[in-house]
Amino acid sequence: MKTTTVTCNGYQLTRLGFVNCYLVREADGLSLIDTGLPGSADDILAAARQIGVPIRRIVLTHAHMDHVGSVDALVEKLGPRNVELVSNARSVPLLQKPPDTSLQTNEPQGKIKGGVRAIKAQPTLLLAEGDLIGSLRAIDTPGHIPGHLSFLDERDGTLYAGDALICKGGLSISGFAPWFFPFPNFGTWDKATALASAKKLLAYPIERFASGHGAIQAGGRPALTAAIAIATS
C-alpha cells in the first residue's frame, strides 16, 4: 500500500494503484476515512504506525465494498473499545447483514448499483448533515449511492469525497467519469442526484480533492465548476 502526503494533516493510502483511503491527523489521534478493499487492514495499521499516531475513529463515506472492506478486521485488531465507527443513518441498512437495499420514498427509484458489503461492527456514531467530527465537516452527497457522505477538513480545505467525485485522469463527477476509468459510472445509482451533490459542493471553501480513486486534485471550486460543465455539456 502506497502512502502519499496530502497535506500536513492528511495521508492518502493507495492499494492496487487505484483504491484510496485516508488517514487524517487530529488532536486525539488519527481519523481513518474508509478502509479500502478486504485485506487492507494490516497495511493501514502499518501506515498509522509509521506516522506514529493511533487510529481513534473510522469514518465511512459509503457502503460500497471497496470502502468498507476492511472495517471488521480493523475494529477487531484495534479493539472495539478503542476505535469509534462513524457513519450516518441512511447507510446503516446498507451495512447490515443482509444489506437492505430498499429505497426511501423520497429517493429516485433506480436500482442501487455496485457491491454493498455487510459488516459485523455497529456504528457507534451517526452523523447528520453539517456535523463536525474532529476537523471534518460532514456533507451529504448522495448520488453514487444513497447515504453517501463527503468530509471537508476545515483546517486546509481538503475535501475527502469518497466516490462523489473521481480523481482519475483529472476531476470528474461519479456517473460522468472518463471512458478510460468507467468503474464508478457502473456503480452509480442516480446520475442526476450525483450531479446535484457536486453543484452543492460549490458552496464550500474547497482547496483540493481527495477521492476514493485517483491522485489528489488541486484547483478548488474552479476545478469543480469545470467538471460540472463537462457533465452537463
Side-chain angles (χ1 to χ4, degrees), residues 6-7 9-12 21-25 33-34 61 135-137 141 148-153 155-164 206 208-212 216:
V6 179
T7 66
N9 303 311
Y11 306 85
Q12 181 188 67
C21 57
Y22 296 88
L23 289 168
V24 179
R25 190 188 297 268
I33 301 177
D34 292 334
T61 63
S135 64
L136 301 172
R137 184 71 65 183
T141 49
H148 193 291
L149 289 170
S150 297
F151 296 94
L152 179 65
D153 190 329
R155 298 169 297 182
D156 57 32
T158 302
L159 183 74
Y160 295 95
D163 284 353
I206 299 167
R208 67 192 60 79
F209 303 89
S211 83
I216 305 301

PDB file of all heavy atoms in Angstrom, residues 6-7 9-12 21-25 33-34 61 135-137 141 148-153 155-164 206 208-212 216:
ATOM      1  N   VAL A   6      -0.902  14.218   1.651  1.00  0.00           N
ATOM      2  CA  VAL A   6      -1.879  15.134   1.048  1.00  0.00           C
ATOM      3  C   VAL A   6      -1.587  16.557   1.511  1.00  0.00           C
ATOM      4  O   VAL A   6      -1.440  17.480   0.711  1.00  0.00           O
ATOM      5  CB  VAL A   6      -3.316  14.726   1.435  1.00  0.00           C
ATOM      6  CG1 VAL A   6      -4.336  15.698   0.836  1.00  0.00           C
ATOM      7  CG2 VAL A   6      -3.611  13.302   1.001  1.00  0.00           C
ATOM      8  N   THR A   7      -1.549  16.731   2.828  1.00  0.00           N
ATOM      9  CA  THR A   7      -1.174  17.995   3.484  1.00  0.00           C
ATOM     10  C   THR A   7      -0.427  17.597   4.748  1.00  0.00           C
ATOM     11  O   THR A   7      -0.187  16.406   4.988  1.00  0.00           O
ATOM     12  CB  THR A   7      -2.416  18.827   3.865  1.00  0.00           C
ATOM     13  OG1 THR A   7      -3.149  18.120   4.884  1.00  0.00           O
ATOM     14  CG2 THR A   7      -3.333  19.073   2.675  1.00  0.00           C
ATOM     15  N   ASN A   9      -1.743  17.440   7.423  1.00  0.00           N
ATOM     16  CA  ASN A   9      -2.753  16.750   8.226  1.00  0.00           C
ATOM     17  C   ASN A   9      -3.213  15.422   7.630  1.00  0.00           C
ATOM     18  O   ASN A   9      -3.784  14.597   8.346  1.00  0.00           O
ATOM     19  CB  ASN A   9      -4.000  17.637   8.388  1.00  0.00           C
ATOM     20  CG  ASN A   9      -3.689  18.972   9.001  1.00  0.00           C
ATOM     21  OD1 ASN A   9      -3.023  19.058  10.009  1.00  0.00           O
ATOM     22  ND2 ASN A   9      -4.173  20.043   8.379  1.00  0.00           N
ATOM     23  N   GLY A  10      -3.015  15.214   6.337  1.00  0.00           N
ATOM     24  CA  GLY A  10      -3.652  14.089   5.659  1.00  0.00           C
ATOM     25  C   GLY A  10      -2.693  13.227   4.866  1.00  0.00           C
ATOM     26  O   GLY A  10      -1.697  13.719   4.315  1.00  0.00           O
ATOM     27  N   TYR A  11      -3.030  11.936   4.789  1.00  0.00           N
ATOM     28  CA  TYR A  11      -2.218  10.953   4.075  1.00  0.00           C
ATOM     29  C   TYR A  11      -3.132  10.057   3.243  1.00  0.00           C
ATOM     30  O   TYR A  11      -4.117   9.526   3.755  1.00  0.00           O
ATOM     31  CB  TYR A  11      -1.417  10.091   5.052  1.00  0.00           C
ATOM     32  CG  TYR A  11      -0.575  10.893   6.007  1.00  0.00           C
ATOM     33  CD1 TYR A  11      -1.129  11.385   7.185  1.00  0.00           C
ATOM     34  CD2 TYR A  11       0.751  11.190   5.724  1.00  0.00           C
ATOM     35  CE1 TYR A  11      -0.366  12.143   8.069  1.00  0.00           C
ATOM     36  CE2 TYR A  11       1.522  11.944   6.599  1.00  0.00           C
ATOM     37  CZ  TYR A  11       0.952  12.419   7.772  1.00  0.00           C
ATOM     38  OH  TYR A  11       1.706  13.172   8.642  1.00  0.00           O
ATOM     39  N   GLN A  12      -2.791   9.897   1.985  1.00  0.00           N
ATOM     40  CA  GLN A  12      -3.532   9.015   1.093  1.00  0.00           C
ATOM     41  C   GLN A  12      -2.859   7.643   1.092  1.00  0.00           C
ATOM     42  O   GLN A  12      -1.645   7.535   0.897  1.00  0.00           O
ATOM     43  CB  GLN A  12      -3.538   9.591  -0.322  1.00  0.00           C
ATOM     44  CG  GLN A  12      -4.315   8.758  -1.338  1.00  0.00           C
ATOM     45  CD  GLN A  12      -4.111   9.274  -2.749  1.00  0.00           C
ATOM     46  OE1 GLN A  12      -3.016   9.190  -3.298  1.00  0.00           O
ATOM     47  NE2 GLN A  12      -5.168   9.822  -3.343  1.00  0.00           N
ATOM     48  N   CYS A  21      -7.840   5.089   0.581  1.00  0.00           N
ATOM     49  CA  CYS A  21      -8.441   5.509   1.831  1.00  0.00           C
ATOM     50  C   CYS A  21      -7.484   6.539   2.434  1.00  0.00           C
ATOM     51  O   CYS A  21      -6.412   6.811   1.867  1.00  0.00           O
ATOM     52  CB  CYS A  21      -8.713   4.342   2.770  1.00  0.00           C
ATOM     53  SG  CYS A  21      -7.275   3.339   3.190  1.00  0.00           S
ATOM     54  N   TYR A  22      -7.854   7.148   3.554  1.00  0.00           N
ATOM     55  CA  TYR A  22      -7.096   8.292   4.042  1.00  0.00           C
ATOM     56  C   TYR A  22      -6.952   8.273   5.559  1.00  0.00           C
ATOM     57  O   TYR A  22      -7.894   7.910   6.274  1.00  0.00           O
ATOM     58  CB  TYR A  22      -7.796   9.606   3.629  1.00  0.00           C
ATOM     59  CG  TYR A  22      -7.829   9.792   2.135  1.00  0.00           C
ATOM     60  CD1 TYR A  22      -8.864   9.270   1.371  1.00  0.00           C
ATOM     61  CD2 TYR A  22      -6.799  10.453   1.480  1.00  0.00           C
ATOM     62  CE1 TYR A  22      -8.880   9.405  -0.006  1.00  0.00           C
ATOM     63  CE2 TYR A  22      -6.806  10.603   0.103  1.00  0.00           C
ATOM     64  CZ  TYR A  22      -7.850  10.072  -0.637  1.00  0.00           C
ATOM     65  OH  TYR A  22      -7.854  10.209  -2.007  1.00  0.00           O
ATOM     66  N   LEU A  23      -5.786   8.681   6.032  1.00  0.00           N
ATOM     67  CA  LEU A  23      -5.547   8.939   7.442  1.00  0.00           C
ATOM     68  C   LEU A  23      -5.446  10.443   7.632  1.00  0.00           C
ATOM     69  O   LEU A  23      -4.695  11.124   6.912  1.00  0.00           O
ATOM     70  CB  LEU A  23      -4.263   8.257   7.911  1.00  0.00           C
ATOM     71  CG  LEU A  23      -4.335   6.727   8.019  1.00  0.00           C
ATOM     72  CD1 LEU A  23      -2.948   6.141   8.200  1.00  0.00           C
ATOM     73  CD2 LEU A  23      -5.258   6.291   9.162  1.00  0.00           C
ATOM     74  N   VAL A  24      -6.206  10.967   8.594  1.00  0.00           N
ATOM     75  CA  VAL A  24      -6.236  12.402   8.862  1.00  0.00           C
ATOM     76  C   VAL A  24      -5.830  12.623  10.318  1.00  0.00           C
ATOM     77  O   VAL A  24      -6.453  12.069  11.232  1.00  0.00           O
ATOM     78  CB  VAL A  24      -7.634  12.992   8.584  1.00  0.00           C
ATOM     79  CG1 VAL A  24      -7.645  14.485   8.894  1.00  0.00           C
ATOM     80  CG2 VAL A  24      -8.045  12.747   7.131  1.00  0.00           C
ATOM     81  N   ARG A  25      -4.815  13.434  10.521  1.00  0.00           N
ATOM     82  CA  ARG A  25      -4.308  13.705  11.863  1.00  0.00           C
ATOM     83  C   ARG A  25      -5.253  14.661  12.598  1.00  0.00           C
ATOM     84  O   ARG A  25      -5.614  15.718  12.078  1.00  0.00           O
ATOM     85  CB  ARG A  25      -2.907  14.314  11.778  1.00  0.00           C
ATOM     86  CG  ARG A  25      -2.183  14.424  13.114  1.00  0.00           C
ATOM     87  CD  ARG A  25      -0.901  15.210  12.936  1.00  0.00           C
ATOM     88  NE  ARG A  25       0.035  14.551  12.032  1.00  0.00           N
ATOM     89  CZ  ARG A  25       0.983  13.705  12.433  1.00  0.00           C
ATOM     90  NH1 ARG A  25       1.095  13.392  13.715  1.00  0.00           N
ATOM     91  NH2 ARG A  25       1.811  13.167  11.550  1.00  0.00           N
ATOM     92  N   ILE A  33     -10.478   7.581   7.035  1.00  0.00           N
ATOM     93  CA  ILE A  33     -11.636   7.758   6.156  1.00  0.00           C
ATOM     94  C   ILE A  33     -11.657   6.595   5.178  1.00  0.00           C
ATOM     95  O   ILE A  33     -10.794   6.478   4.309  1.00  0.00           O
ATOM     96  CB  ILE A  33     -11.581   9.104   5.423  1.00  0.00           C
ATOM     97  CG1 ILE A  33     -11.543  10.264   6.421  1.00  0.00           C
ATOM     98  CG2 ILE A  33     -12.794   9.249   4.502  1.00  0.00           C
ATOM     99  CD1 ILE A  33     -11.418  11.630   5.778  1.00  0.00           C
ATOM    100  N   ASP A  34     -12.630   5.717   5.354  1.00  0.00           N
ATOM    101  CA  ASP A  34     -12.797   4.482   4.582  1.00  0.00           C
ATOM    102  C   ASP A  34     -11.686   3.477   4.899  1.00  0.00           C
ATOM    103  O   ASP A  34     -10.668   3.818   5.516  1.00  0.00           O
ATOM    104  CB  ASP A  34     -12.912   4.755   3.085  1.00  0.00           C
ATOM    105  CG  ASP A  34     -14.210   5.469   2.726  1.00  0.00           C
ATOM    106  OD1 ASP A  34     -15.193   5.316   3.470  1.00  0.00           O
ATOM    107  OD2 ASP A  34     -14.244   6.176   1.706  1.00  0.00           O
ATOM    108  N   THR A  61     -17.466   6.919   4.149  1.00  0.00           N
ATOM    109  CA  THR A  61     -18.183   7.747   3.183  1.00  0.00           C
ATOM    110  C   THR A  61     -19.425   7.043   2.646  1.00  0.00           C
ATOM    111  O   THR A  61     -20.448   7.679   2.426  1.00  0.00           O
ATOM    112  CB  THR A  61     -17.282   8.150   1.998  1.00  0.00           C
ATOM    113  OG1 THR A  61     -16.871   6.978   1.275  1.00  0.00           O
ATOM    114  CG2 THR A  61     -16.055   8.912   2.475  1.00  0.00           C
ATOM    115  N   SER A 135     -11.824  17.671  12.789  1.00  0.00           N
ATOM    116  CA  SER A 135     -11.759  18.800  11.845  1.00  0.00           C
ATOM    117  C   SER A 135     -12.643  18.584  10.627  1.00  0.00           C
ATOM    118  O   SER A 135     -12.664  19.417   9.718  1.00  0.00           O
ATOM    119  CB  SER A 135     -10.313  18.986  11.376  1.00  0.00           C
ATOM    120  OG  SER A 135      -9.898  17.841  10.639  1.00  0.00           O
ATOM    121  N   LEU A 136     -13.363  17.476  10.581  1.00  0.00           N
ATOM    122  CA  LEU A 136     -14.070  17.054   9.371  1.00  0.00           C
ATOM    123  C   LEU A 136     -15.547  17.431   9.429  1.00  0.00           C
ATOM    124  O   LEU A 136     -16.291  16.978  10.320  1.00  0.00           O
ATOM    125  CB  LEU A 136     -13.925  15.546   9.174  1.00  0.00           C
ATOM    126  CG  LEU A 136     -12.486  15.023   9.051  1.00  0.00           C
ATOM    127  CD1 LEU A 136     -12.470  13.503   9.049  1.00  0.00           C
ATOM    128  CD2 LEU A 136     -11.820  15.575   7.789  1.00  0.00           C
ATOM    129  N   ARG A 137     -15.989  18.227   8.471  1.00  0.00           N
ATOM    130  CA  ARG A 137     -17.392  18.626   8.350  1.00  0.00           C
ATOM    131  C   ARG A 137     -18.113  17.649   7.426  1.00  0.00           C
ATOM    132  O   ARG A 137     -17.715  17.423   6.289  1.00  0.00           O
ATOM    133  CB  ARG A 137     -17.487  20.037   7.774  1.00  0.00           C
ATOM    134  CG  ARG A 137     -18.909  20.600   7.698  1.00  0.00           C
ATOM    135  CD  ARG A 137     -19.451  20.932   9.067  1.00  0.00           C
ATOM    136  NE  ARG A 137     -18.705  22.011   9.705  1.00  0.00           N
ATOM    137  CZ  ARG A 137     -18.946  22.452  10.937  1.00  0.00           C
ATOM    138  NH1 ARG A 137     -19.920  21.904  11.668  1.00  0.00           N
ATOM    139  NH2 ARG A 137     -18.205  23.432  11.457  1.00  0.00           N
ATOM    140  N   THR A 141     -23.766  13.875   0.279  1.00  0.00           N
ATOM    141  CA  THR A 141     -23.512  13.917  -1.167  1.00  0.00           C
ATOM    142  C   THR A 141     -24.022  12.636  -1.827  1.00  0.00           C
ATOM    143  O   THR A 141     -23.247  11.871  -2.410  1.00  0.00           O
ATOM    144  CB  THR A 141     -22.014  14.114  -1.466  1.00  0.00           C
ATOM    145  OG1 THR A 141     -21.246  13.174  -0.684  1.00  0.00           O
ATOM    146  CG2 THR A 141     -21.568  15.526  -1.130  1.00  0.00           C
ATOM    147  N   HIS A 148     -24.429   8.620   0.842  1.00  0.00           N
ATOM    148  CA  HIS A 148     -23.019   8.981   0.653  1.00  0.00           C
ATOM    149  C   HIS A 148     -22.690  10.268   1.404  1.00  0.00           C
ATOM    150  O   HIS A 148     -23.444  11.235   1.375  1.00  0.00           O
ATOM    151  CB  HIS A 148     -22.717   9.164  -0.835  1.00  0.00           C
ATOM    152  CG  HIS A 148     -21.260   9.240  -1.151  1.00  0.00           C
ATOM    153  ND1 HIS A 148     -20.477  10.316  -0.783  1.00  0.00           N
ATOM    154  CD2 HIS A 148     -20.433   8.372  -1.787  1.00  0.00           C
ATOM    155  CE1 HIS A 148     -19.243  10.107  -1.182  1.00  0.00           C
ATOM    156  NE2 HIS A 148     -19.179   8.932  -1.791  1.00  0.00           N
ATOM    157  N   LEU A 149     -21.536  10.262   2.093  1.00  0.00           N
ATOM    158  CA  LEU A 149     -21.024  11.433   2.785  1.00  0.00           C
ATOM    159  C   LEU A 149     -19.683  11.846   2.199  1.00  0.00           C
ATOM    160  O   LEU A 149     -18.877  10.992   1.809  1.00  0.00           O
ATOM    161  CB  LEU A 149     -20.816  11.139   4.274  1.00  0.00           C
ATOM    162  CG  LEU A 149     -22.045  10.976   5.158  1.00  0.00           C
ATOM    163  CD1 LEU A 149     -21.624  10.449   6.539  1.00  0.00           C
ATOM    164  CD2 LEU A 149     -22.791  12.289   5.301  1.00  0.00           C
ATOM    165  N   SER A 150     -19.440  13.141   2.154  1.00  0.00           N
ATOM    166  CA  SER A 150     -18.109  13.677   1.925  1.00  0.00           C
ATOM    167  C   SER A 150     -17.704  14.437   3.181  1.00  0.00           C
ATOM    168  O   SER A 150     -18.553  14.824   3.996  1.00  0.00           O
ATOM    169  CB  SER A 150     -18.096  14.613   0.713  1.00  0.00           C
ATOM    170  OG  SER A 150     -18.436  13.915  -0.467  1.00  0.00           O
ATOM    171  N   PHE A 151     -16.392  14.659   3.341  1.00  0.00           N
ATOM    172  CA  PHE A 151     -15.889  15.309   4.545  1.00  0.00           C
ATOM    173  C   PHE A 151     -14.892  16.392   4.166  1.00  0.00           C
ATOM    174  O   PHE A 151     -13.913  16.129   3.467  1.00  0.00           O
ATOM    175  CB  PHE A 151     -15.219  14.278   5.461  1.00  0.00           C
ATOM    176  CG  PHE A 151     -16.172  13.245   5.971  1.00  0.00           C
ATOM    177  CD1 PHE A 151     -16.314  12.033   5.310  1.00  0.00           C
ATOM    178  CD2 PHE A 151     -16.953  13.488   7.091  1.00  0.00           C
ATOM    179  CE1 PHE A 151     -17.208  11.075   5.757  1.00  0.00           C
ATOM    180  CE2 PHE A 151     -17.852  12.542   7.543  1.00  0.00           C
ATOM    181  CZ  PHE A 151     -17.984  11.338   6.888  1.00  0.00           C
ATOM    182  N   LEU A 152     -15.157  17.609   4.640  1.00  0.00           N
ATOM    183  CA  LEU A 152     -14.275  18.739   4.385  1.00  0.00           C
ATOM    184  C   LEU A 152     -13.427  18.998   5.620  1.00  0.00           C
ATOM    185  O   LEU A 152     -13.955  19.264   6.706  1.00  0.00           O
ATOM    186  CB  LEU A 152     -15.083  19.989   4.039  1.00  0.00           C
ATOM    187  CG  LEU A 152     -14.262  21.250   3.777  1.00  0.00           C
ATOM    188  CD1 LEU A 152     -13.401  21.102   2.530  1.00  0.00           C
ATOM    189  CD2 LEU A 152     -15.170  22.480   3.658  1.00  0.00           C
ATOM    190  N   ASP A 153     -12.101  18.905   5.469  1.00  0.00           N
ATOM    191  CA  ASP A 153     -11.199  19.285   6.544  1.00  0.00           C
ATOM    192  C   ASP A 153     -11.128  20.806   6.549  1.00  0.00           C
ATOM    193  O   ASP A 153     -10.553  21.420   5.644  1.00  0.00           O
ATOM    194  CB  ASP A 153      -9.815  18.669   6.324  1.00  0.00           C
ATOM    195  CG  ASP A 153      -8.903  18.840   7.528  1.00  0.00           C
ATOM    196  OD1 ASP A 153      -9.049  19.848   8.253  1.00  0.00           O
ATOM    197  OD2 ASP A 153      -8.039  17.964   7.750  1.00  0.00           O
ATOM    198  N   ARG A 155      -9.487  22.836   8.277  1.00  0.00           N
ATOM    199  CA  ARG A 155      -8.182  23.455   8.511  1.00  0.00           C
ATOM    200  C   ARG A 155      -7.479  23.801   7.221  1.00  0.00           C
ATOM    201  O   ARG A 155      -6.754  24.813   7.153  1.00  0.00           O
ATOM    202  CB  ARG A 155      -7.304  22.511   9.339  1.00  0.00           C
ATOM    203  CG  ARG A 155      -7.835  22.200  10.723  1.00  0.00           C
ATOM    204  CD  ARG A 155      -7.059  21.062  11.347  1.00  0.00           C
ATOM    205  NE  ARG A 155      -7.203  19.812  10.583  1.00  0.00           N
ATOM    206  CZ  ARG A 155      -6.656  18.652  10.948  1.00  0.00           C
ATOM    207  NH1 ARG A 155      -5.919  18.593  12.051  1.00  0.00           N
ATOM    208  NH2 ARG A 155      -6.846  17.570  10.222  1.00  0.00           N
ATOM    209  N   ASP A 156      -7.642  22.960   6.202  1.00  0.00           N
ATOM    210  CA  ASP A 156      -6.828  23.138   4.993  1.00  0.00           C
ATOM    211  C   ASP A 156      -7.622  23.050   3.694  1.00  0.00           C
ATOM    212  O   ASP A 156      -7.051  23.129   2.618  1.00  0.00           O
ATOM    213  CB  ASP A 156      -5.673  22.130   4.972  1.00  0.00           C
ATOM    214  CG  ASP A 156      -6.137  20.680   5.058  1.00  0.00           C
ATOM    215  OD1 ASP A 156      -7.234  20.357   4.553  1.00  0.00           O
ATOM    216  OD2 ASP A 156      -5.384  19.861   5.622  1.00  0.00           O
ATOM    217  N   GLY A 157      -8.945  22.890   3.783  1.00  0.00           N
ATOM    218  CA  GLY A 157      -9.764  22.893   2.582  1.00  0.00           C
ATOM    219  C   GLY A 157      -9.721  21.618   1.762  1.00  0.00           C
ATOM    220  O   GLY A 157     -10.131  21.617   0.595  1.00  0.00           O
ATOM    221  N   THR A 158      -9.254  20.509   2.357  1.00  0.00           N
ATOM    222  CA  THR A 158      -9.243  19.241   1.635  1.00  0.00           C
ATOM    223  C   THR A 158     -10.617  18.595   1.720  1.00  0.00           C
ATOM    224  O   THR A 158     -11.152  18.395   2.814  1.00  0.00           O
ATOM    225  CB  THR A 158      -8.197  18.278   2.221  1.00  0.00           C
ATOM    226  OG1 THR A 158      -6.914  18.898   2.166  1.00  0.00           O
ATOM    227  CG2 THR A 158      -8.171  16.976   1.435  1.00  0.00           C
ATOM    228  N   LEU A 159     -11.194  18.278   0.568  1.00  0.00           N
ATOM    229  CA  LEU A 159     -12.464  17.561   0.528  1.00  0.00           C
ATOM    230  C   LEU A 159     -12.175  16.080   0.320  1.00  0.00           C
ATOM    231  O   LEU A 159     -11.654  15.679  -0.723  1.00  0.00           O
ATOM    232  CB  LEU A 159     -13.358  18.063  -0.603  1.00  0.00           C
ATOM    233  CG  LEU A 159     -14.736  17.378  -0.642  1.00  0.00           C
ATOM    234  CD1 LEU A 159     -15.631  17.890   0.481  1.00  0.00           C
ATOM    235  CD2 LEU A 159     -15.402  17.542  -1.995  1.00  0.00           C
ATOM    236  N   TYR A 160     -12.504  15.280   1.315  1.00  0.00           N
ATOM    237  CA  TYR A 160     -12.420  13.825   1.203  1.00  0.00           C
ATOM    238  C   TYR A 160     -13.765  13.360   0.658  1.00  0.00           C
ATOM    239  O   TYR A 160     -14.759  13.284   1.379  1.00  0.00           O
ATOM    240  CB  TYR A 160     -12.083  13.215   2.565  1.00  0.00           C
ATOM    241  CG  TYR A 160     -10.711  13.625   3.046  1.00  0.00           C
ATOM    242  CD1 TYR A 160     -10.543  14.713   3.898  1.00  0.00           C
ATOM    243  CD2 TYR A 160      -9.576  12.953   2.605  1.00  0.00           C
ATOM    244  CE1 TYR A 160      -9.276  15.112   4.312  1.00  0.00           C
ATOM    245  CE2 TYR A 160      -8.300  13.348   3.012  1.00  0.00           C
ATOM    246  CZ  TYR A 160      -8.161  14.423   3.869  1.00  0.00           C
ATOM    247  OH  TYR A 160      -6.903  14.814   4.272  1.00  0.00           O
ATOM    248  N   ALA A 161     -13.780  13.078  -0.641  1.00  0.00           N
ATOM    249  CA  ALA A 161     -15.030  12.996  -1.395  1.00  0.00           C
ATOM    250  C   ALA A 161     -15.544  11.587  -1.614  1.00  0.00           C
ATOM    251  O   ALA A 161     -16.583  11.426  -2.269  1.00  0.00           O
ATOM    252  CB  ALA A 161     -14.854  13.687  -2.752  1.00  0.00           C
ATOM    253  N   GLY A 162     -14.862  10.562  -1.076  1.00  0.00           N
ATOM    254  CA  GLY A 162     -15.326   9.212  -1.352  1.00  0.00           C
ATOM    255  C   GLY A 162     -15.451   8.987  -2.848  1.00  0.00           C
ATOM    256  O   GLY A 162     -14.514   9.244  -3.602  1.00  0.00           O
ATOM    257  N   ASP A 163     -16.632   8.546  -3.275  1.00  0.00           N
ATOM    258  CA  ASP A 163     -16.885   8.382  -4.706  1.00  0.00           C
ATOM    259  C   ASP A 163     -17.886   9.400  -5.242  1.00  0.00           C
ATOM    260  O   ASP A 163     -18.426   9.225  -6.336  1.00  0.00           O
ATOM    261  CB  ASP A 163     -17.396   6.964  -5.001  1.00  0.00           C
ATOM    262  CG  ASP A 163     -16.288   5.932  -4.970  1.00  0.00           C
ATOM    263  OD1 ASP A 163     -15.110   6.316  -4.849  1.00  0.00           O
ATOM    264  OD2 ASP A 163     -16.595   4.727  -5.042  1.00  0.00           O
ATOM    265  N   ALA A 164     -18.138  10.466  -4.485  1.00  0.00           N
ATOM    266  CA  ALA A 164     -18.971  11.545  -5.037  1.00  0.00           C
ATOM    267  C   ALA A 164     -18.264  12.196  -6.208  1.00  0.00           C
ATOM    268  O   ALA A 164     -18.890  12.621  -7.187  1.00  0.00           O
ATOM    269  CB  ALA A 164     -19.290  12.572  -3.957  1.00  0.00           C
ATOM    270  N   ILE A 206     -13.353  24.777  -0.750  1.00  0.00           N
ATOM    271  CA  ILE A 206     -12.512  23.620  -1.084  1.00  0.00           C
ATOM    272  C   ILE A 206     -11.239  24.089  -1.772  1.00  0.00           C
ATOM    273  O   ILE A 206     -11.284  24.915  -2.692  1.00  0.00           O
ATOM    274  CB  ILE A 206     -13.288  22.646  -1.998  1.00  0.00           C
ATOM    275  CG1 ILE A 206     -14.547  22.134  -1.293  1.00  0.00           C
ATOM    276  CG2 ILE A 206     -12.402  21.478  -2.416  1.00  0.00           C
ATOM    277  CD1 ILE A 206     -15.523  21.417  -2.216  1.00  0.00           C
ATOM    278  N   ARG A 208      -8.642  21.418  -2.412  1.00  0.00           N
ATOM    279  CA  ARG A 208      -8.165  20.232  -3.137  1.00  0.00           C
ATOM    280  C   ARG A 208      -9.145  19.091  -2.903  1.00  0.00           C
ATOM    281  O   ARG A 208      -9.934  19.106  -1.961  1.00  0.00           O
ATOM    282  CB  ARG A 208      -6.752  19.845  -2.700  1.00  0.00           C
ATOM    283  CG  ARG A 208      -6.645  19.359  -1.279  1.00  0.00           C
ATOM    284  CD  ARG A 208      -5.218  19.254  -0.793  1.00  0.00           C
ATOM    285  NE  ARG A 208      -4.533  20.554  -0.838  1.00  0.00           N
ATOM    286  CZ  ARG A 208      -4.694  21.502   0.089  1.00  0.00           C
ATOM    287  NH1 ARG A 208      -5.494  21.292   1.122  1.00  0.00           N
ATOM    288  NH2 ARG A 208      -4.070  22.645  -0.016  1.00  0.00           N
ATOM    289  N   PHE A 209      -9.041  18.080  -3.778  1.00  0.00           N
ATOM    290  CA  PHE A 209      -9.975  16.965  -3.762  1.00  0.00           C
ATOM    291  C   PHE A 209      -9.211  15.668  -3.534  1.00  0.00           C
ATOM    292  O   PHE A 209      -8.220  15.387  -4.223  1.00  0.00           O
ATOM    293  CB  PHE A 209     -10.730  16.894  -5.085  1.00  0.00           C
ATOM    294  CG  PHE A 209     -11.466  18.165  -5.415  1.00  0.00           C
ATOM    295  CD1 PHE A 209     -10.842  19.184  -6.131  1.00  0.00           C
ATOM    296  CD2 PHE A 209     -12.767  18.359  -4.993  1.00  0.00           C
ATOM    297  CE1 PHE A 209     -11.507  20.356  -6.431  1.00  0.00           C
ATOM    298  CE2 PHE A 209     -13.444  19.541  -5.286  1.00  0.00           C
ATOM    299  CZ  PHE A 209     -12.819  20.534  -6.004  1.00  0.00           C
ATOM    300  N   ALA A 210      -9.684  14.884  -2.583  1.00  0.00           N
ATOM    301  CA  ALA A 210      -9.105  13.583  -2.275  1.00  0.00           C
ATOM    302  C   ALA A 210     -10.234  12.564  -2.347  1.00  0.00           C
ATOM    303  O   ALA A 210     -11.110  12.543  -1.480  1.00  0.00           O
ATOM    304  CB  ALA A 210      -8.471  13.606  -0.880  1.00  0.00           C
ATOM    305  N   SER A 211     -10.247  11.747  -3.379  1.00  0.00           N
ATOM    306  CA  SER A 211     -11.372  10.846  -3.605  1.00  0.00           C
ATOM    307  C   SER A 211     -10.950   9.396  -3.435  1.00  0.00           C
ATOM    308  O   SER A 211      -9.789   9.081  -3.172  1.00  0.00           O
ATOM    309  CB  SER A 211     -11.976  11.071  -4.993  1.00  0.00           C
ATOM    310  OG  SER A 211     -11.249  10.377  -5.981  1.00  0.00           O
ATOM    311  N   GLY A 212     -11.915   8.513  -3.605  1.00  0.00           N
ATOM    312  CA  GLY A 212     -11.645   7.094  -3.466  1.00  0.00           C
ATOM    313  C   GLY A 212     -10.814   6.511  -4.584  1.00  0.00           C
ATOM    314  O   GLY A 212     -10.271   5.404  -4.442  1.00  0.00           O
ATOM    315  N   ILE A 216      -4.546  13.069  -5.813  1.00  0.00           N
ATOM    316  CA  ILE A 216      -5.087  14.316  -5.279  1.00  0.00           C
ATOM    317  C   ILE A 216      -5.172  15.342  -6.408  1.00  0.00           C
ATOM    318  O   ILE A 216      -4.240  15.501  -7.199  1.00  0.00           O
ATOM    319  CB  ILE A 216      -4.194  14.856  -4.144  1.00  0.00           C
ATOM    320  CG1 ILE A 216      -4.004  13.787  -3.067  1.00  0.00           C
ATOM    321  CG2 ILE A 216      -4.774  16.126  -3.553  1.00  0.00           C
ATOM    322  CD1 ILE A 216      -5.272  13.297  -2.443  1.00  0.00           C
TER     323      ILE A 216
END
